Amino acid sequence: MHKTRIIKDKAAQTIMFALTVLAILLVVAIAIGLYLKSMPVLQDKSLWSLLFSSEWRPMKGNFGFFPFIMGTIWVTFMAILLAFPISVLTAIYLTEYSKPVVRKIVFPALDILAALPSVIYGVWGVLVIVPWISQHVAPHFVEFSTGYTVLAAGIVLGVMVIPLLISLFIEIFSGVPVELREASLALGATRWQTTKKVVLRKTIPGILASTVLAVSRAMGETIAVLMVCGCVIGIPKGMMDACYPIPALIANNYGEMLSMPLYESALMFAALILFAVVLIFNLISRIVLYRLGKTEK
Amino acid sequence: MSIEIQKLNVHIKDNHILKDVNIVLPEKQITCIIGPSGCGKSTLLKTINRLIDGVEGVKLEGNVFVDGQDIINSGTEITELRRKIGLVSQRPCPLPMSIFDNVAYGCRINKMFKKRRQLIYHVQKNLKSVGLLEEVKGRIRTPAARLSIGQQQRLCLARSLAVQPEYILADEATSALDPISAKTVEDLFVKLKEKYSIIMVTHTLHQALRIADNVVFMYLGDVIESGPAEQVFHHPQHELTQKYLAGAFS
Amino acid sequence: MKIARKKKLRESVAKLFMWCAMLVVFGLVISVIWTIFSKGCKAMSWDMVSKLPGGGFYIGKEGGFLNAIVGSLYIVGASTVLGLIVSIPVVFFLNIYLKKNSKLAYVARLAFDVLFGVPSIVYGAFGFTIMIYFGLRTSLLGGIIVITLLIIPIFIRTMDEATRNFPRDILDASFSLGATRWETLKVVLRQIAPGIATATLLSVGRAIGDAASVMFTAGYTDSIPTSLSQPAATLPLAVFFQLSSPIPEVVDRAYAAALVLTIIVLLLSISGRFITNRFSKNKV
């Protein structure tokens, strides 16, 4: 009877170990799967021409991803530009200034923002942001715009990464020891001075790492961006241009690609690029965040 | 039926925590381990029931014989060993379940009873033996975390007793309690030594003086002196023991 | 004096900016919710949630999107169960079987954090390649597999957070009664029950709202799938596909579907908070 208990324990250990390793291997599996699928296009074209050619003619077999890469960069940059200041300020207020009551109201609101699905933001973007840009913002810059622009996608994406950024920032700011703040306050510094000179300065690596994390999140966002970005192939020249980020490209063409092996392969290559960039960004920022977490504790 | 420790050395990472410990812990008596904090008392207890295995970077050398079996080298079944050796820790630690389930937990794991009636009877018997049965009447199914801290400690004792151990290890079992609860628990130990061998780490010399049959004095990982309480307390052989006792009694 | 006044001024300006930032955040929440509710409520009717798309549904004739609701529930239900089956052992292994500073645990946590950040469209593409490899077509099964992969990292991360500070004393107490690690699982589960519940709600929320991954794998259909190999509709895709229609009635259905999705997600989010605050009966 005793034996069976021990055997159970050992068996459980083996199974759990296997599950854990399998789960870790998922990262590798994704990489390999996508790589194998993008082999045909990689054999056919040079990596350079895939990444930096602007010619996108799937029917002719030309796959230049440059417009899409630029679209992704534009949209992501826009999103972070908008979300970063709002998130930092809100996070500072919540950690350094606010009373518990304020937090009780703000946290559920952030919960909601974080919980809403991508497609809902897409609907909101189509109904609110796109018309607003078309009618009120764009006329100041260009003669006519449908509103489906880099700016629209940037705003929608920005809103989507705000809750992520705020929660990461709050975690980082609250890791700064109270003694440090008190030391500064005791010298006659105001709250803001303390925040600026002590809290922010001490957490710069954390802030950067979190921002990189948010960048990688923004880059992969699909449906919401797809709905408001305009999906016009071309390198955007400004925030009033339509754009076509990589995730939107993949999602929009998943049906057609089946008929053409090389096209399918090219789209899988697009997914691979996305995966590789996100993977690298994530690895770097997570490792930085882990380190920081350790030294603080 | 006793515990014999021979040439026990314990390293944790680079620290030599226990140095060449040789002692005998006799049967059905209370052995108190005393000494300043950080001297390795708790490590010694944890080695006896092998809870020390969970500590990072630990290395054990030497022999610990429990019932004549070397539990360090002979591949003893650890779960069975731990069942045989009850532990009452410094802070009471009820499991996150009801009072009844706390006591029944070990019995269920060791499949001690086939019939539910037997289990209920056994749980009640053990709760009674620590004087808790009356106090928790009617709320035996409520979460154990709601008991007072003294009651929790007695519950933990009942939980240990329920798996029918032969030895009880107590790691400063009364130090987190208020004086009255501490006294109740202490009295319980005295009563329990009729049936069990009790090994107790204590930081209060007065407690050791009141209840110990044997005393082990440790200092910085060494056992300085051990023997019958009468002898160690009143005719200490070693200078360090004398100083420690003097400091405490002055 | 002058410096003091300057200090004070700066302090107020900084505070003002922060207030503005908070107002923006609040404004956004209200704007999104209000947009969805005002549009959705107008378009909502009982038929929408109780009927399948009829003939001519996509040119404005009658019917509802029950197919999408049921499809979403199937996929989310199945993948939540599968996700839990995989994640609980992993979390348990990381926290109880492995030692605190184990290399494997570090690598595993890093891997799950990275997986958590992988975009759902990549999961979709990956799921798609797997399905092709096994000769599957877009189907309920495909959707379930991909969503399961998508939520496993969420499950593991959230539960790991709840388990990481698990009191060592409780483990020791259980071990000292002669329990094996496997038998101690029961105790751990009780203690982290609220954590599991929150993780589940979070995962369900993510799973039900994700469109990019099921697009490739579950496909879309007007009927309720009766077997695992049939394609299945999902709520986010019902919103997405119908919104782009030129026919106003169809767009209205997109709004109604968006409302249903939003309400589900809001309920999940609120109960998540509630559980974290309340549900800790046996917790020590």
Side-chain angles (χ1 to χ4, degrees):
Chain A
M1 190 207 82
H2 213 69
K3 278 262 165 62
T4 46
R5 287 178 53 209
I6 307 305
I7 292 168
K8 253 192 211 163
D9 185 56
K10 288 278 187 273
Q13 176 168 18
T14 316
I15 293 171
M16 285 174 179
F17 175 73
L19 273 176
T20 309
V21 172
L22 277 180
I24 297 171
L25 284 182
L26 187 55
V27 184
V28 185
I30 293 178
I32 293 176
L34 293 177
Y35 179 71
L36 288 179
K37 274 281 160 187
S38 46
M39 276 298 272
V41 82
L42 280 169
Q43 277 165 355
D44 202 51
K45 301 269 159 7
S46 73
L47 188 63
W48 179 266
S49 80
L50 282 173
L51 291 179
F52 295 106
S53 150
S54 307
E55 198 168 344
W56 180 261
R57 293 219 166 68
M59 297 305 148
K60 283 188 183 164
N62 288 332
F63 302 101
F65 280 101
F66 195 58
F68 307 103
I69 292 173
M70 284 313 287
T72 304
I73 293 175
W74 263 99
V75 170
T76 306
F77 176 72
M78 205 66 182
I80 298 300
L81 195 69
L82 295 170
F84 183 81
I86 293 178
S87 307
V88 171
L89 287 170
T90 309
I92 291 177
Y93 189 82
L94 290 176
T95 43
E96 309 295 319
Y97 287 82
S98 78
K99 300 188 181 90
V101 192
V102 181
R103 269 174 253 171
K104 259 197 185 136
I105 306 167
V106 179
F107 281 152
L110 290 173
D111 271 4
I112 292 174
L113 220 47
L116 286 174
S118 180
V119 74
I120 298 298
Y121 283 105
V123 173
W124 175 71
V126 170
L127 290 175
V128 179
I129 300 301
V130 169
W132 177 67
I133 290 175
S134 164
Q135 286 157 24
H136 300 286
V137 184
H140 297 290
F141 299 95
V142 287
E143 274 177 33
F144 173 76
S145 168
T146 54
Y148 292 92
T149 51
V150 169
L151 181 62
I155 293 176
V156 170
L157 256 189
V159 177
M160 293 178 72
V161 296
I162 281 178
L164 173 71
L165 270 180
I166 293 182
S167 72
L168 286 169
F169 286 158
I170 286 182
E171 198 161 305
I172 293 166
F173 292 157
S174 19
V176 177
V178 186
E179 292 81 10
L180 227 65
R181 293 194 182 94
E182 282 171 353
S184 163
L185 290 174
L187 294 172
T190 60
R191 276 249 163 231
W192 173 242
Q193 284 172 321
T194 308
T195 306
K196 209 170 53 175
K197 301 232 162 101
V198 178
V199 179
L200 287 182
R201 187 154 300 176
K202 198 167 180 336
T203 51
I204 284 175
I207 293 175
L208 284 179
S210 310
T211 311
V212 172
L213 214 56
V215 166
S216 75
R217 166 66 55 86
M219 264 188 316
E221 202 43 70
T222 312
I223 294 294
V225 178
L226 172 61
M227 290 164 85
V228 297
C229 69
C231 296
V232 175
I233 301 170
I235 301 166
K237 291 177 197 67
M239 60 179 188
M240 285 304 148
D241 277 355
C243 61
Y244 207 162
I246 295 176
L249 171 76
I250 305 173
N252 243 354
N253 296 292
Y254 81 101
E256 299 163 37
M257 70 189 190
L258 277 173
S259 49
M260 294 181 59
L262 207 57
Y263 193 6
E264 184 195 332
S265 173
L267 288 182
M268 289 302 160
F269 174 67
L272 182 63
I273 303 177
L274 206 57
F275 176 70
V277 176
V278 168
L279 182 78
I280 293 167
F281 279 26
N282 260 280
L283 275 178
I284 295 172
S285 52
R286 285 293 173 189
I287 290 174
V288 170
L289 288 174
Y290 284 179
R291 289 259 164 87
L292 292 176
K294 249 190 201 151
T295 48
E296 269 150 24
K297 274 161 209 165
Chain B
M1 292 296 165
S2 64
I3 298 178
E4 249 186 275
I5 300 173
Q6 294 173 358
K7 289 188 185 160
L8 177 68
N9 280 286
V10 176
H11 295 260
I12 296 177
K13 282 178 186 156
D14 296 332
N15 301 321
H16 200 170
I17 307 289
L18 292 181
K19 297 166 194 164
D20 217 14
V21 172
N22 291 291
I23 39 174
V24 178
L25 305 166
E27 182 187 7
K28 298 205 171 142
Q29 293 189 352
I30 295 181
T31 305
C32 278
I33 305 175
I34 57 172
S37 46
C39 68
K41 295 173 293 191
S42 297
T43 308
L44 184 60
L45 277 198
K46 278 191 165 183
T47 310
I48 296 174
N49 70 356
R50 292 286 296 271
L51 263 186
I52 198 154
D53 292 10
V55 176
E56 191 91 7
V58 71
K59 210 174 80 196
L60 306 177
E61 285 161 12
N63 309 331
V64 176
F65 294 98
V66 176
D67 296 351
Q69 197 185 16
D70 184 355
I71 60 151
I72 290 184
N73 305 307
S74 70
T76 315
E77 186 38 62
I78 290 178
T79 51
E80 176 55 20
L81 170 76
R82 286 176 182 160
R83 186 202 60 75
K84 214 154 58 177
I85 304 177
L87 173 76
V88 184
S89 58
Q90 186 169 5
R91 291 187 47 80
C93 181
L95 297 168
M97 44 184 82
S98 72
I99 298 171
F100 180 87
D101 287 337
N102 256 283
V103 182
Y105 178 80
C107 309
R108 285 184 177 138
I109 278 178
N110 292 298
K111 302 205 173 59
M112 285 166 56
F113 302 103
K114 287 224 168 63
K115 294 216 176 84
R116 198 172 157 69
R117 267 213 348 264
Q118 293 173 317
L119 177 67
I120 294 175
Y121 174 76
H122 187 71
V123 168
Q124 285 177 340
K125 193 181 83 186
N126 281 289
L127 280 174
K128 199 173 176 184
S129 71
V130 296
L132 210 54
L133 190 61
E134 284 300 307
E135 294 173 42
V136 300
K137 217 170 201 175
R139 52 181 181 134
I140 198 163
R141 297 283 175 188
T142 59
R146 286 191 201 148
L147 292 174
S148 80
I149 202 155
Q151 289 171 323
Q152 285 184 13
Q153 191 63 303
R154 280 184 284 150
L155 176 69
C156 291
L157 187 55
R159 189 177 64 194
S160 300
L161 297 180
V163 291
Q164 297 171 330
E166 293 158 27
Y167 308 90
I168 295 172
L169 308 179
D171 189 356
E172 303 198 5
T174 58
S175 68
L177 309 183
D178 61 274
I180 294 173
S181 309
K183 180 81 171 72
T184 319
V185 174
E186 197 183 297
D187 292 348
L188 266 172
F189 279 120
V190 176
K191 214 173 81 191
L192 288 171
K193 77 172 176 185
E194 288 172 18
K195 286 197 214 152
Y196 308 93
S197 317
I198 297 170
I199 298 111
M200 203 169 179
V201 163
T202 179
H203 61 301
T204 48
L205 268 173
H206 290 96
Q207 188 174 49
L209 203 59
R210 280 196 298 272
I211 63 175
D213 301 309
N214 292 284
V215 174
V216 176
F217 173 62
M218 293 181 67
Y219 186 75
L220 295 178
D222 283 306
V223 171
I224 305 295
E225 196 164 348
S226 68
E230 171 71 24
Q231 182 198 321
V232 177
F233 280 135
H234 299 293
H235 312 285
Q237 306 293 310
H238 200 283
E239 194 185 349
L240 273 169
T241 322
Q242 288 164 4
K243 271 189 186 158
Y244 184 70
L245 294 176
F249 291 132
S250 64
Chain C
M1 259 327 268
K2 223 176 173 183
I3 293 172
R5 208 185 294 156
K6 228 178 178 177
K7 260 186 177 173
K8 234 183 175 173
L9 187 70
R10 288 223 173 116
E11 179 82 16
S12 332
V13 172
K15 251 187 169 169
L16 186 72
F17 273 116
M18 284 180 228
W19 270 106
C20 289
M22 298 245 295
L23 276 183
V24 170
V25 173
F26 258 101
L28 289 170
V29 177
I30 291 167
S31 170
V32 176
I33 298 291
W34 195 79
T35 310
I36 300 296
F37 271 80
S38 67
K39 284 279 180 183
C41 287
K42 262 186 245 154
M44 201 58 190
S45 69
W46 181 242
D47 278 2
M48 292 278 186
V49 292
S50 65
K51 284 197 174 147
L52 292 175
F57 178 75
Y58 295 104
I59 50 170
K61 299 263 176 65
E62 64 190 38
F65 48 80
L66 183 66
N67 57 329
I69 297 177
V70 175
S72 273
L73 290 182
Y74 280 173
I75 291 183
V76 170
S79 46
T80 305
V81 173
L82 288 176
L84 275 173
I85 292 175
V86 176
S87 323
I88 291 183
V90 172
V91 171
F92 193 64
F93 186 72
L94 288 182
N95 287 290
I96 313 299
Y97 276 77
L98 291 180
K99 297 214 163 131
K100 262 250 146 61
N101 295 325
S102 141
K103 274 255 161 59
L104 179 63
Y106 178 84
V107 173
R109 291 200 169 100
L110 188 60
F112 295 128
D113 276 342
V114 169
L115 281 174
F116 178 68
V118 170
S120 68
I121 186 95
V122 172
Y123 276 106
F126 172 66
F128 186 72
T129 61
I130 296 186
M131 283 166 58
I132 291 180
Y133 186 78
F134 287 108
L136 287 170
R137 296 175 158 273
T138 52
S139 60
L140 187 57
L141 181 64
I144 292 172
I145 292 173
V146 162
I147 293 290
T148 306
L149 294 183
L150 180 81
I151 59 177
I152 282 176
I154 309 177
F155 262 129
I156 294 181
R157 275 174 42 106
T158 341
M159 287 196 279
D160 185 40
E161 209 117 292
T163 321
R164 245 171 147 172
N165 297 324
F166 192 84
R168 181 77 219 176
D169 292 357
I170 293 189
L171 294 184
D172 281 353
S174 174
F175 291 154
S176 68
L177 293 172
T180 59
R181 288 168 299 183
W182 173 244
E183 287 154 348
T184 309
L185 173 63
K186 220 168 57 181
V187 181
V188 179
L189 281 184
R190 272 183 205 240
Q191 179 83 357
I192 64 166
I196 295 177
T198 343
T200 310
L201 291 171
L202 212 69
S203 311
V204 169
R206 268 291 283 273
I208 206 165
D210 200 75
S213 57
V214 287
M215 200 175 213
F216 285 95
T217 49
Y220 201 81
T221 169
D222 283 353
S223 52
I224 293 173
T226 50
S227 82
L228 281 174
S229 57
Q230 289 175 1
T234 42
L235 269 175
L237 287 183
V239 179
F240 178 68
F241 287 140
Q242 295 178 41
L243 194 72
S244 50
S245 164
I247 298 156
E249 283 88 351
V250 179
V251 177
D252 270 353
R253 280 174 199 144
Y255 297 151
L259 179 66
V260 172
L261 186 55
T262 309
I263 290 175
I264 294 175
V265 168
L266 286 184
L267 285 179
L268 289 170
S269 161
I270 291 168
S271 26
R273 274 262 151 205
F274 182 76
I275 286 176
T276 345
N277 293 344
R278 287 287 168 82
F279 179 4
S280 41
K281 187 183 145 205
N282 270 324
K283 205 165 175 174
V284 179

